[in-house]
């Protein structure tokens, strides 16, 4: 049985995926659709609720994304957020105006009842980010909240099941945002909360079994969260019919290749093929210093090694990959970049193009509908080790982007050792969960040092640790000095050829997370 569906209609706001994730956290299955999805299509999908997202435009701008007035005749319970709120008012005959000053940040609102505000205090803090506001409501609507500068911060027409909020309930800065979304989904739309990860595993495994039958499946396993969880699901569904191909280019972190192999061969029923090819990669990278060229070489080598292995195995049955929902949205497959859409902001790295001569019966993407946190939840339930499920983002080219200048076997070894020490100290210090990503970098720099009676001329290690919500922006982490001191001591004492340590205190922007 299909899950009950909520649609998030994308008007180009930056929090659109966040809205969808919040809805799913409430136990409701949700998909993001473009704002110009034909009404017929929306009707056919039979959503029990629709949420209009925010967006950067003004409703009076002709080029801004609009919605046909007839939409509101479909009778679908709808919640408008920010731009979506203004659009609802404007389309139904209300008036939208520009504020004399934009309202941005944490603002106190006062509400006066209605289903959206069930169990929400009269006064609470919400997150606002807007220049326009609704100054006159359409007929039949009533205002349900206001702030000092915004006379209508929320409104409703319960008879038509139309609701709107000028603020962003999806961001955590809105104190009771979660309750407001929950109220919309359960009090207004009447969802029954049938989106649960346990059910997802069960139904997906059943679907995979049916789709695959007695055929084979090949999955490219990178050791990242997504492909690992996809492997876990497929293994549960079809066991030894699954072959995972794991290319170890020798640019992974210390002992990582062995960890991945052990995990999947010991814990799961499948065929596991590991291709060790560090030498091949090193030969192709010899003498190359330019970061883009290094990336290209690593990408091309990977592509060749991987697909050659597939040719060797035989393209028999299905090809599986760990594509997740945001990959589909960002790549334009699920939500093509359009007017006002955020779809093209982030380039992603997870799609693999299949060579023309390789022909499988089809491609399987068992995680294609999940967000990252849902993938992790599934991974935990499947018994995949914590370290893999909570693995930090790790660039496709691996340590290749963390070794500046030419990549050599000696440098890989130094960096692997240094990175392992840094990670070990962070883990011991108990601050790991505060950091979103942390790693060591090997810049192409040697400096003078002194060790005993000798002068040394050896490698400098840079350490990087960031906090971030989405990796679009990031701040350098304020690691306590005593932790930094221990890291520095251990790096110089334990890692051969390291005689100096620096800590990167650059935010993004202007820096990036990786050094390249
Ligand atoms: P930057 O350096 O652009 O990195 O600030 C942002 C995030 O993306 C990760 N990153 C990559 N991830 N393939 C990936 O899958 C790549 O080629 C790649 N390059 C950067 C980086 O580690 C950080 O989390």
């Amino acid at each position: 049985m299909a899950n009950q569906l909520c649609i998030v209609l994308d008007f180009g706001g930056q929090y659109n995926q966040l809205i969808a994730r919040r809805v799913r956290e409430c136990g409701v299955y949700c998909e993001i659709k473009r704002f110009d999805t034909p009404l017929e299509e929306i009707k056919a999908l039979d959503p029990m609720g629709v949420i209009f997202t925010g967006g950067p435009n003004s409703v009076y701008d002709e080029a801004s994304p609009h919605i046909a007035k007839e939409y509101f005749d479909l009778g679908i319970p709808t919640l408008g957020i920010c731009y979506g709120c203004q659009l609802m008012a404007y389309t139904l005959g209300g008036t939208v105006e520009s504020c004399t000053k934009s309202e941005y940040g944490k603002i106190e609102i006062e509400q006066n009842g209605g289903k959206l505000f069930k169990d929400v205090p009269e006064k609470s803090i919400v997150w606002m980010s807007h220049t326009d506001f609704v100054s006159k409501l359409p007929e039949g609507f009533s205002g349900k909240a206001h702030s000092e500068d915004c006379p209508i911060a929320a409104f409703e027409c319960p008879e038509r099941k139309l609701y709107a909020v000028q603020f962003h309930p999806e961001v955590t800065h809105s104190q009771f945002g979660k309750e407001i979304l929950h109220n919309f989904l359960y009090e207004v739309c009447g969802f029954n909360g049938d989106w649960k990860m346990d059910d997802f595993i069960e139904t997906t495994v059943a679907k995979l079994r049916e789709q695959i039958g007695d055929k084979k499946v090949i999955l490219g396993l990178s050791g990242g969260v997504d492909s690992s969880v996809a492997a876990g699901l497929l293994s549960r569904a079809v066991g030894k019919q699954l072959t995972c191909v794991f290319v170890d280019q020798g640019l992974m972190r210390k002992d990582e290749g062995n960890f991945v192999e052990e995990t999947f061969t010991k814990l799961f029923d499948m065929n596991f093929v590991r291709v060790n090819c560090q030498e091949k990669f090193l030969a192709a990278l010899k003498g190359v210093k330019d970061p883009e060229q290094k990336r290209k070489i690593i990408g091309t080598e990977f592509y060749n090694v991987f697909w050659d292995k597939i040719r060797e195995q035989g393209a028999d049955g299905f090809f599986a990959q760990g594509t997740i929902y945001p990959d589909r949205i960002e790549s334009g497959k699920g939500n093509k970049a359009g007017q006002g859409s955020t779809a093209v902001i982030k380039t992603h790295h997870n799609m693999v193009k299949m060579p023309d001569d390789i022909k499988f019966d089809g491609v399987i993407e068992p995680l294609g509908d999940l967000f990252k946190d849902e993938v992790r939840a599934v991974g935990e339930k499947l018994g995949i080790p914590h370290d893999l499920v909570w693995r930090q983002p790790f660039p496709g080219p691996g340590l290749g982007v963390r070794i500046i200048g030419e990549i050599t076997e000696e440098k890989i070894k130094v960096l692997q050792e240094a990175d392992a020490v840094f990670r070990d100290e962070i883990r011991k210090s108990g601050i790991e969960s505060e950091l979103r990503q942390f790693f060591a970098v090997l810049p192409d720099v040697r400096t003078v040092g002194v060790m005993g009676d000798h002068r040394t001329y050896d490698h400098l290690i840079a350490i990087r640790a960031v906090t971030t919500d989405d990796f679009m922006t990031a701040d350098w982490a304020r690691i306590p000095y005593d932790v930094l001191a221990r890291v520095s001591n251990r790096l110089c004492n334990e890692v051969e050829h390291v005689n100096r340590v620096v800590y990167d205190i650059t935010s993004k922007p202007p820096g990036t997370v990786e050094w390249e």
Side-chain angles (χ1 to χ4, degrees):
M1 263 250 308
N3 291 94
Q4 295 180 333
L5 173 70
C6 172
I7 290 179
V8 168
L9 215 50
D10 177 1
F11 288 92
Q14 56 179 320
Y15 300 127
N16 299 350
Q17 286 195 31
L18 189 58
I19 299 175
R21 278 171 49 199
R22 293 280 180 259
V23 170
R24 293 206 189 170
E25 280 167 19
C26 290
V28 171
Y29 181 67
C30 162
E31 286 185 11
I32 301 175
K33 297 283 174 200
R34 280 172 57 104
F35 69 91
D36 57 358
T37 305
L39 295 191
E40 280 311 310
E41 204 177 304
I42 294 181
K43 227 166 92 179
L45 287 165
D46 196 22
M48 284 185 55
V50 170
I51 299 179
F52 289 3
T53 74
N57 309 67
S58 157
V59 289
Y60 289 108
D61 184 352
E62 253 177 56
S64 64
H66 284 94
I67 185 120
K69 203 172 170 189
E70 293 71 35
Y71 166 83
F72 297 97
D73 299 330
L74 298 178
I76 306 169
T78 300
L79 173 69
I81 294 178
C82 197
Y83 176 82
C85 152
Q86 295 155 14
L87 187 70
M88 184 187 288
Y90 166 79
T91 311
L92 293 172
T95 311
V96 174
E97 281 179 46
S98 282
C99 313
T100 43
K101 75 174 198 301
S102 300
E103 234 185 352
Y104 180 80
K106 291 181 183 175
I107 307 281
E108 187 179 70
I109 56 158
E110 194 174 335
Q111 57 93 2
N112 59 307
K115 280 190 174 166
L116 278 191
F117 293 103
K118 184 178 165 227
D119 297 331
V120 176
E122 203 176 311
K123 288 184 180 176
S124 68
I125 301 296
V126 298
W127 184 257
M128 291 272 201
S129 170
H130 68 116
T131 308
D132 290 355
F133 70 104
V134 176
S135 57
K136 189 174 146 279
L137 287 171
E139 230 180 272
F141 283 73
S142 54
K144 301 308 292 180
H146 67 273
S147 72
E148 197 176 317
D149 291 319
C150 183
I152 305 173
F155 60 82
E156 65 172 30
C157 177
E159 297 73 31
R160 299 177 72 181
K161 298 202 171 180
L162 299 178
Y163 293 77
V165 290
Q166 179 53 65
F167 53 89
H168 289 274
E170 69 276 20
V171 304
T172 46
H173 304 304
S174 289
Q175 264 178 331
F176 293 88
K178 202 168 171 202
E179 284 76 1
I180 293 169
L181 284 176
H182 193 276
N183 285 338
F184 172 68
L185 297 167
Y186 287 85
E187 302 297 320
V188 176
C189 306
F191 279 101
N192 65 7
D194 63 2
W195 178 245
K196 296 189 190 86
M197 284 304 111
D198 282 325
D199 297 354
F200 172 84
I201 293 177
E202 230 169 83
T203 49
T204 307
V205 164
K207 260 194 263 170
L208 286 170
R209 279 190 188 136
E210 193 184 316
Q211 185 180 5
I212 297 166
D214 56 4
K215 290 188 175 168
K216 292 186 179 162
V217 190
I218 290 188
L219 172 82
L221 186 72
S222 69
V225 184
D226 306 338
S227 62
S228 297
V229 175
L233 267 176
L234 283 159
S235 157
R236 182 171 288 193
V238 296
K240 285 250 172 348
Q241 285 164 254
L242 168 69
T243 299
C244 287
V245 175
F246 170 54
V247 175
D248 185 347
Q249 11 71 320
L251 293 167
M252 302 192 76
R253 295 178 299 186
K254 189 183 174 188
D255 296 332
E256 206 158 24
N258 295 341
F259 173 63
V260 171
E261 178 170 355
E262 250 171 56
T263 302
F264 285 97
T265 48
K266 284 204 180 131
L267 292 184
F268 292 96
D269 186 28
M270 62 168 69
N271 300 302
F272 188 90
V273 177
R274 176 171 175 176
V275 192
N276 287 323
C277 47
Q278 189 185 54
E279 276 170 27
K280 200 169 174 359
F281 275 66
L282 282 176
L285 287 163
K286 197 166 169 42
V288 183
K289 293 186 172 161
D290 178 69
E292 271 308 306
Q293 218 192 329
K294 287 196 299 191
R295 259 184 188 274
K296 256 193 209 125
I297 292 171
I298 295 170
T300 310
E301 282 301 316
F302 184 90
Y303 188 86
N304 292 338
V305 170
F306 181 73
W307 292 112
D308 276 351
K309 197 70 199 173
I310 301 290
R311 287 186 188 97
E312 199 185 303
Q313 296 281 317
D316 182 12
F318 292 94
F319 180 71
Q321 53 187 5
T323 315
I324 66 172
Y325 191 46
D327 296 330
R328 296 202 291 133
I329 304 174
E330 288 159 11
S331 67
K333 244 168 83 183
N335 180 1
K336 282 208 174 60
Q339 156 82 98
S341 168
T342 51
V344 283
I345 288 178
K346 193 174 148 208
T347 55
H348 70 88
H349 325 268
N350 301 337
M351 300 296 209
V352 189
K353 190 187 169 313
M354 200 179 295
D356 292 337
D357 65 303
I358 295 186
K359 302 222 179 325
F360 280 95
D361 291 354
V363 175
I364 293 178
E365 296 175 330
L367 310 173
D369 288 333
L370 300 192
F371 285 106
K372 196 83 171 189
D373 23 15
E374 294 173 316
V375 173
R376 291 205 162 104
V378 170
E380 299 255 10
K381 286 190 190 298
L382 288 171
I384 296 174
H386 183 87
D387 276 3
L388 257 183
V389 169
W390 292 97
R391 197 176 188 254
Q392 297 179 28
F394 191 60
L399 298 182
V401 299
R402 296 179 185 165
I403 294 173
I404 315 304
E406 188 186 0
I407 299 173
T408 63
E409 197 176 349
E410 184 244 347
K411 286 188 183 174
I412 295 175
K413 191 101 189 48
V414 171
L415 183 56
Q416 280 179 334
E417 292 300 327
D419 189 68
V421 167
F422 181 37
R423 279 190 292 136
D424 184 47
E425 267 312 315
I426 292 293
R427 198 163 295 151
K428 283 182 185 154
S429 70
I431 58 169
E432 190 174 359
S433 62
E434 293 164 35
L435 312 177
R436 281 300 295 277
Q437 199 174 5
F438 53 96
F439 52 85
V441 178
L442 185 65
D444 201 12
V445 174
R446 283 175 202 248
T447 70
V448 173
V450 55
M451 210 167 253
D453 295 334
H454 301 285
R455 282 174 87 73
T456 57
Y457 187 61
D458 243 326
H459 287 297
L460 160 78
I461 286 285
I463 51 181
R464 180 83 165 131
V466 295
T467 56
T468 174
D469 281 334
D470 57 6
F471 293 98
M472 304 282 197
T473 62
D475 197 5
W476 59 278
R478 281 18 174 207
I479 296 182
Y481 279 177
D482 55 340
V483 178
L484 289 174
R486 280 198 301 276
V487 171
S488 162
N489 263 339
R490 283 191 59 190
L491 286 175
C492 291
N493 286 323
E494 292 175 28
V495 185
E496 244 186 290
H497 299 299
V498 171
N499 68 354
R500 191 178 295 269
V501 179
V502 295
Y503 184 42
D504 182 351
I505 52 166
T506 322
S507 298
K508 171 184 179 176
T512 46
V513 175
E514 302 288 348
W515 280 36
E516 301 262 0

